[in-house]
Amino acid sequence: MKIGVRPGPLHLNRDFAALAQWLGENDFDSLDLTAPDAEQKKALDEAGLVPGSFDCPSLGKLLTEDEGARKEAAASLKAELSQAAELGLKTFFACFVPVDKSASRAKTFEVWKTVAPEIVAHCESLGINLAMEPWPGPAPNYPTLGTTPEQWRAMFAVVPANALGLCYDPSHMARLGI
């Protein structure tokens, strides 16, 4: 087991290199990257840390009903994933939050089904695992997909790939009463 830190939610990424150095000096093992970024990867290497998961900024634009915007976001996301693979990164951290946070999960799931198979197939071709985070999303709608066992079963039925998995985060599951 490795002990690491996820910097984004804590706004610890203001000085990524300094954070990496401090973590390395204090017996941490890994640090998540806020993007597939060569400078962040270099900071990890210099601090003696291994990469945890990584984020892809284009993911936040992917789940939209606007087909043109969705195709553009998918192309950008695939480019970011390819860059991650070139850096040797292996675990893509994903919260499937729709662009329209008031959209129903059923509507968002229909959008997800149109784009997820190609994204997960691209991950699989690169040797990257996609780890769905069960964070329910922002209040008041809690629109994120992949947060309940029912949703997981439906998502895995659409994309039965080994590269699609869950990010085990018991804090969110407890919040959801699971």
Side-chain angles (χ1 to χ4, degrees), residues 2-17 19-20 23 28-37 39-41 43-44 49-56 89-94 131 133 167-169:
K2 296 189 182 337
I3 303 297
V5 170
R6 179 151 181 78
L10 303 175
H11 302 287
L12 296 174
N13 56 343
R14 291 185 181 123
D15 189 341
F16 192 90
L19 174 61
L23 292 170
F28 283 80
D29 302 300
S30 71
L31 176 59
D32 292 352
L33 284 79
T34 59
D37 180 282
E39 288 300 314
Q40 288 185 1
K41 176 65 168 70
L44 294 182
L49 300 173
V50 296
S53 66
F54 64 90
D55 294 356
C56 286
L89 305 179
K90 298 291 183 193
T91 305
F92 170 35
F93 177 91
E133 167 74 352
C167 171
Y168 179 68
D169 186 333

Side-chain angles (χ1 to χ4, degrees), residues 46-65:
E46 290 174 353
L49 300 173
V50 296
S53 66
F54 64 90
D55 294 356
C56 286
S58 295
L59 180 64
K61 300 173 186 170
L62 187 66
L63 296 181
T64 177
E65 288 188 81

Side-chain angles (χ1 to χ4, degrees), residues 121-142:
H122 190 66
C123 286
E124 203 158 41
S125 75
L126 297 169
I128 290 174
N129 292 307
L130 188 156
M132 287 188 287
E133 167 74 352
W135 175 65
N141 299 323
Y142 306 105

